[in-house]
Amino acid sequence: MISILATVHDAAVEARLRSALLAAGHELRQQGTDKNDLLIAVLSQAALQDKAFHDALNTALDNDQPIVPALAERVKLPKLIDHLVPVDLSAANATEQLDAKIQATYSPDARLPLRVRTPSVQRANRRSGLIVAFLALAMFAIGIYAVAVLNVEAPVEEYNQINTEAAATRDFIIAPTLETYLRFLPGSQDEAAQYPSTLQAVPTRLRPFVAATATAVAVDQQSD
């Protein structure tokens, strides 16, 4: 179904447009518009200054209706629909252009209408932002109260126990492989000078442990 949005000032243009579309075999809604309709918006200077026209256009955008701008006069498209290609109703082939756009809209390959930030969408975004900000502030205040007044602290003992268990499991898994690489620890200053290149041959996951062991051995030798 197709509906036409026009002001009283453009009633004559709307009547001619309606007759042309009916003659082309299109089904038009007699009054008003439905959220499932394709909307033809008749634009003129009077329409751009008409609040009811803008409200109806914004409603159509909120409903994700496909919109075809139709120029009753040479005017600049409103910002919310300036991404659409208008049809000049003064053109000789205006009816053919409209028919092509209507056919493209109802084609199975037609793209979904572009979602734009209408005033209602902007208000919804602001409300959502305020709600998120309030929740974040409330959580922050609860956290400060819990730490400062209730003396809530991180469970250090539990964390340490878990970390100890994880380290023990890790050491048990890598110990057999690590013993093989630890046989190549530097035993002299010359070997220590060449050790960085040897260390690069160690698998990445074991390299920190081999390097730490080599460093500990070097510290022990210096202390001796």
Short mmCIF file of all heavy atoms in Angstrom, two decimals, residues 93-129:
data_model
loop_
_atom_site.label_atom_id
_atom_site.label_comp_id
_atom_site.label_asym_id
_atom_site.label_seq_id
_atom_site.Cartn_x
_atom_site.Cartn_y
_atom_site.Cartn_z
N ASN A 93 8.91 12.86 -16.96
CA ASN A 93 8.83 11.42 -16.64
C ASN A 93 8.72 11.17 -15.14
O ASN A 93 9.18 10.15 -14.64
CB ASN A 93 10.06 10.70 -17.20
CG ASN A 93 11.35 11.17 -16.55
OD1 ASN A 93 11.40 12.27 -15.99
ND2 ASN A 93 12.39 10.35 -16.61
N ALA A 94 8.10 12.11 -14.42
CA ALA A 94 8.00 11.99 -12.96
C ALA A 94 7.27 10.71 -12.56
O ALA A 94 7.68 10.01 -11.63
CB ALA A 94 7.31 13.21 -12.37
N THR A 95 6.19 10.40 -13.27
CA THR A 95 5.42 9.18 -12.94
C THR A 95 6.26 7.94 -13.14
O THR A 95 6.22 7.00 -12.33
CB THR A 95 4.15 9.10 -13.80
OG1 THR A 95 3.36 10.29 -13.61
CG2 THR A 95 3.32 7.89 -13.42
N GLU A 96 7.05 7.92 -14.22
CA GLU A 96 7.92 6.76 -14.48
C GLU A 96 8.99 6.63 -13.39
O GLU A 96 9.32 5.51 -12.96
CB GLU A 96 8.58 6.89 -15.85
CG GLU A 96 7.65 6.68 -17.03
CD GLU A 96 6.77 7.91 -17.30
OE1 GLU A 96 6.96 8.94 -16.64
OE2 GLU A 96 5.87 7.80 -18.17
N GLN A 97 9.54 7.77 -12.94
CA GLN A 97 10.54 7.74 -11.87
C GLN A 97 9.92 7.19 -10.58
O GLN A 97 10.53 6.35 -9.89
CB GLN A 97 11.10 9.14 -11.62
CG GLN A 97 11.96 9.68 -12.74
CD GLN A 97 12.57 11.03 -12.37
OE1 GLN A 97 13.09 11.20 -11.27
NE2 GLN A 97 12.48 11.98 -13.29
N LEU A 98 8.74 7.66 -10.25
CA LEU A 98 8.07 7.19 -9.04
C LEU A 98 7.76 5.69 -9.15
O LEU A 98 7.96 4.93 -8.20
CB LEU A 98 6.77 7.96 -8.81
CG LEU A 98 6.91 9.36 -8.20
CD1 LEU A 98 5.58 10.08 -8.22
CD2 LEU A 98 7.44 9.27 -6.78
N ASP A 99 7.31 5.28 -10.32
CA ASP A 99 6.99 3.87 -10.51
C ASP A 99 8.24 3.01 -10.35
O ASP A 99 8.18 1.93 -9.73
CB ASP A 99 6.40 3.66 -11.91
CG ASP A 99 5.97 2.23 -12.14
OD1 ASP A 99 4.99 1.80 -11.51
OD2 ASP A 99 6.65 1.53 -12.92
N ALA A 100 9.38 3.49 -10.87
CA ALA A 100 10.63 2.73 -10.73
C ALA A 100 11.05 2.62 -9.27
O ALA A 100 11.50 1.56 -8.81
CB ALA A 100 11.73 3.40 -11.55
N LYS A 101 10.89 3.70 -8.51
CA LYS A 101 11.25 3.67 -7.09
C LYS A 101 10.32 2.76 -6.30
O LYS A 101 10.74 2.04 -5.39
CB LYS A 101 11.25 5.08 -6.51
CG LYS A 101 12.42 5.94 -6.98
CD LYS A 101 12.42 7.29 -6.29
CE LYS A 101 13.65 8.10 -6.69
NZ LYS A 101 14.90 7.47 -6.19
N ILE A 102 9.04 2.78 -6.66
CA ILE A 102 8.08 1.91 -5.97
C ILE A 102 8.41 0.44 -6.25
O ILE A 102 8.41 -0.40 -5.34
CB ILE A 102 6.65 2.24 -6.42
CG1 ILE A 102 6.26 3.64 -5.93
CG2 ILE A 102 5.66 1.21 -5.89
CD1 ILE A 102 4.97 4.17 -6.53
N GLN A 103 8.70 0.13 -7.50
CA GLN A 103 9.05 -1.25 -7.85
C GLN A 103 10.33 -1.68 -7.15
O GLN A 103 10.44 -2.82 -6.67
CB GLN A 103 9.23 -1.36 -9.38
CG GLN A 103 7.98 -1.07 -10.18
CD GLN A 103 6.85 -2.04 -9.89
OE1 GLN A 103 7.07 -3.17 -9.45
NE2 GLN A 103 5.62 -1.60 -10.13
N ALA A 104 11.31 -0.77 -7.06
CA ALA A 104 12.57 -1.10 -6.39
C ALA A 104 12.36 -1.33 -4.90
O ALA A 104 12.99 -2.19 -4.29
CB ALA A 104 13.59 0.01 -6.61
N THR A 105 11.44 -0.56 -4.30
CA THR A 105 11.17 -0.70 -2.87
C THR A 105 10.56 -2.05 -2.55
O THR A 105 10.90 -2.67 -1.53
CB THR A 105 10.22 0.42 -2.40
OG1 THR A 105 10.84 1.69 -2.62
CG2 THR A 105 9.88 0.26 -0.93
N TYR A 106 9.67 -2.52 -3.41
CA TYR A 106 9.00 -3.80 -3.15
C TYR A 106 9.75 -4.99 -3.75
O TYR A 106 9.27 -6.12 -3.68
CB TYR A 106 7.58 -3.76 -3.71
CG TYR A 106 6.66 -2.85 -2.90
CD1 TYR A 106 6.11 -1.70 -3.46
CD2 TYR A 106 6.37 -3.15 -1.57
CE1 TYR A 106 5.28 -0.88 -2.72
CE2 TYR A 106 5.55 -2.33 -0.83
CZ TYR A 106 5.00 -1.19 -1.40
OH TYR A 106 4.19 -0.38 -0.66
N SER A 107 10.92 -4.72 -4.32
CA SER A 107 11.72 -5.82 -4.87
C SER A 107 12.29 -6.68 -3.75
O SER A 107 12.61 -6.17 -2.66
CB SER A 107 12.88 -5.25 -5.71
OG SER A 107 13.81 -6.27 -6.04
N PRO A 108 12.42 -8.00 -3.95
CA PRO A 108 13.02 -8.87 -2.92
C PRO A 108 14.46 -8.46 -2.55
O PRO A 108 14.92 -8.76 -1.46
CB PRO A 108 13.00 -10.26 -3.57
CG PRO A 108 11.93 -10.18 -4.61
CD PRO A 108 11.96 -8.77 -5.13
N ASP A 109 15.14 -7.78 -3.47
CA ASP A 109 16.53 -7.37 -3.23
C ASP A 109 16.62 -5.97 -2.63
O ASP A 109 17.73 -5.43 -2.48
CB ASP A 109 17.33 -7.40 -4.54
CG ASP A 109 17.38 -8.80 -5.14
OD1 ASP A 109 17.39 -9.77 -4.35
OD2 ASP A 109 17.41 -8.92 -6.38
N ALA A 110 15.48 -5.38 -2.28
CA ALA A 110 15.49 -4.01 -1.76
C ALA A 110 16.18 -3.96 -0.40
O ALA A 110 16.04 -4.86 0.43
CB ALA A 110 14.06 -3.49 -1.64
N ARG A 111 16.93 -2.89 -0.19
CA ARG A 111 17.60 -2.70 1.09
C ARG A 111 16.62 -2.14 2.12
O ARG A 111 15.65 -1.46 1.77
CB ARG A 111 18.77 -1.73 0.94
CG ARG A 111 19.89 -2.24 0.03
CD ARG A 111 21.03 -1.24 -0.01
NE ARG A 111 22.13 -1.71 -0.84
CZ ARG A 111 23.25 -1.01 -1.04
NH1 ARG A 111 23.39 0.19 -0.50
NH2 ARG A 111 24.20 -1.51 -1.81
N LEU A 112 16.91 -2.42 3.38
CA LEU A 112 16.09 -1.87 4.45
C LEU A 112 16.32 -0.36 4.55
O LEU A 112 17.42 0.13 4.27
CB LEU A 112 16.44 -2.53 5.80
CG LEU A 112 16.11 -4.02 5.91
CD1 LEU A 112 16.62 -4.56 7.24
CD2 LEU A 112 14.60 -4.26 5.79
N PRO A 113 15.30 0.40 4.94
CA PRO A 113 15.48 1.86 5.08
C PRO A 113 16.57 2.17 6.10
O PRO A 113 16.73 1.47 7.10
CB PRO A 113 14.10 2.34 5.57
CG PRO A 113 13.15 1.27 5.14
CD PRO A 113 13.91 -0.01 5.20
N LEU A 114 17.33 3.20 5.80
CA LEU A 114 18.40 3.62 6.69
C LEU A 114 17.82 4.16 7.99
O LEU A 114 16.90 4.99 7.98
CB LEU A 114 19.26 4.69 6.02
CG LEU A 114 20.46 5.22 6.82
CD1 LEU A 114 21.48 4.11 7.03
CD2 LEU A 114 21.10 6.40 6.10
N ARG A 115 18.34 3.68 9.11
CA ARG A 115 17.87 4.14 10.42
C ARG A 115 18.51 5.49 10.72
O ARG A 115 19.72 5.64 10.65
CB ARG A 115 18.27 3.13 11.49
CG ARG A 115 17.75 3.44 12.88
CD ARG A 115 16.25 3.30 12.95
NE ARG A 115 15.77 3.40 14.32
CZ ARG A 115 14.50 3.50 14.66
NH1 ARG A 115 13.58 3.50 13.72
NH2 ARG A 115 14.14 3.57 15.92
N VAL A 116 17.69 6.49 11.02
CA VAL A 116 18.19 7.84 11.30
C VAL A 116 17.80 8.25 12.72
O VAL A 116 16.89 7.68 13.33
CB VAL A 116 17.63 8.86 10.28
CG1 VAL A 116 18.11 8.53 8.88
CG2 VAL A 116 16.12 8.90 10.32
N ARG A 117 18.52 9.24 13.23
CA ARG A 117 18.30 9.69 14.60
C ARG A 117 17.22 10.78 14.61
O ARG A 117 17.51 11.96 14.61
CB ARG A 117 19.61 10.19 15.22
CG ARG A 117 20.66 9.11 15.36
CD ARG A 117 21.99 9.63 15.91
NE ARG A 117 21.86 10.07 17.28
CZ ARG A 117 21.93 11.32 17.67
NH1 ARG A 117 22.13 12.30 16.79
NH2 ARG A 117 21.83 11.63 18.96
N THR A 118 15.98 10.34 14.64
CA THR A 118 14.86 11.26 14.73
C THR A 118 14.80 11.84 16.15
O THR A 118 15.46 11.35 17.06
CB THR A 118 13.54 10.54 14.41
OG1 THR A 118 13.36 9.49 15.38
CG2 THR A 118 13.59 9.93 13.02
N PRO A 119 14.01 12.89 16.36
CA PRO A 119 13.90 13.45 17.72
C PRO A 119 13.52 12.41 18.76
O PRO A 119 14.03 12.44 19.89
CB PRO A 119 12.81 14.52 17.56
CG PRO A 119 12.95 14.97 16.15
CD PRO A 119 13.31 13.74 15.37
N SER A 120 12.63 11.48 18.43
CA SER A 120 12.23 10.46 19.41
C SER A 120 13.40 9.52 19.71
O SER A 120 13.58 9.10 20.86
CB SER A 120 11.03 9.67 18.89
OG SER A 120 11.36 8.99 17.69
N VAL A 121 14.18 9.20 18.69
CA VAL A 121 15.36 8.35 18.91
C VAL A 121 16.39 9.09 19.78
O VAL A 121 16.99 8.50 20.68
CB VAL A 121 15.99 7.94 17.57
CG1 VAL A 121 17.33 7.22 17.79
CG2 VAL A 121 15.04 7.04 16.79
N GLN A 122 16.57 10.37 19.53
CA GLN A 122 17.50 11.16 20.34
C GLN A 122 17.05 11.21 21.80
O GLN A 122 17.87 11.10 22.71
CB GLN A 122 17.63 12.57 19.76
CG GLN A 122 18.27 12.61 18.38
CD GLN A 122 18.31 14.01 17.80
OE1 GLN A 122 18.16 15.00 18.51
NE2 GLN A 122 18.47 14.11 16.49
N ARG A 123 15.73 11.39 22.00
CA ARG A 123 15.23 11.41 23.38
C ARG A 123 15.45 10.06 24.06
O ARG A 123 15.83 9.99 25.24
CB ARG A 123 13.74 11.78 23.39
CG ARG A 123 13.46 13.23 23.06
CD ARG A 123 12.02 13.59 23.38
NE ARG A 123 11.08 12.84 22.56
CZ ARG A 123 10.64 13.26 21.37
NH1 ARG A 123 11.04 14.40 20.86
NH2 ARG A 123 9.77 12.53 20.68
N ALA A 124 15.21 8.98 23.32
CA ALA A 124 15.42 7.64 23.88
C ALA A 124 16.89 7.42 24.21
O ALA A 124 17.23 6.83 25.25
CB ALA A 124 14.94 6.58 22.90
N ASN A 125 17.79 7.90 23.36
CA ASN A 125 19.23 7.76 23.62
C ASN A 125 19.63 8.54 24.87
O ASN A 125 20.44 8.06 25.67
CB ASN A 125 20.04 8.26 22.42
CG ASN A 125 19.93 7.32 21.22
OD1 ASN A 125 19.49 6.19 21.36
ND2 ASN A 125 20.32 7.80 20.06
N ARG A 126 19.06 9.74 25.02
CA ARG A 126 19.38 10.54 26.21
C ARG A 126 18.88 9.85 27.47
O ARG A 126 19.58 9.82 28.50
CB ARG A 126 18.79 11.95 26.09
CG ARG A 126 19.56 12.86 25.16
CD ARG A 126 19.13 14.31 25.35
NE ARG A 126 17.75 14.52 24.92
CZ ARG A 126 17.40 14.88 23.69
NH1 ARG A 126 18.32 15.06 22.78
NH2 ARG A 126 16.12 15.07 23.39
N ARG A 127 17.68 9.29 27.41
CA ARG A 127 17.14 8.58 28.58
C ARG A 127 18.02 7.38 28.92
O ARG A 127 18.32 7.15 30.10
CB ARG A 127 15.70 8.13 28.31
CG ARG A 127 14.67 9.23 28.36
CD ARG A 127 13.27 8.64 28.45
NE ARG A 127 12.95 7.84 27.28
CZ ARG A 127 12.37 8.32 26.18
NH1 ARG A 127 12.04 9.59 26.11
NH2 ARG A 127 12.10 7.51 25.17
N SER A 128 18.41 6.63 27.90
CA SER A 128 19.28 5.47 28.14
C SER A 128 20.61 5.90 28.74
O SER A 128 21.13 5.26 29.66
CB SER A 128 19.51 4.71 26.83
OG SER A 128 18.29 4.23 26.30
N GLY A 129 21.17 6.99 28.22
CA GLY A 129 22.43 7.49 28.76
C GLY A 129 22.32 7.91 30.21
O GLY A 129 23.20 7.62 31.02
#
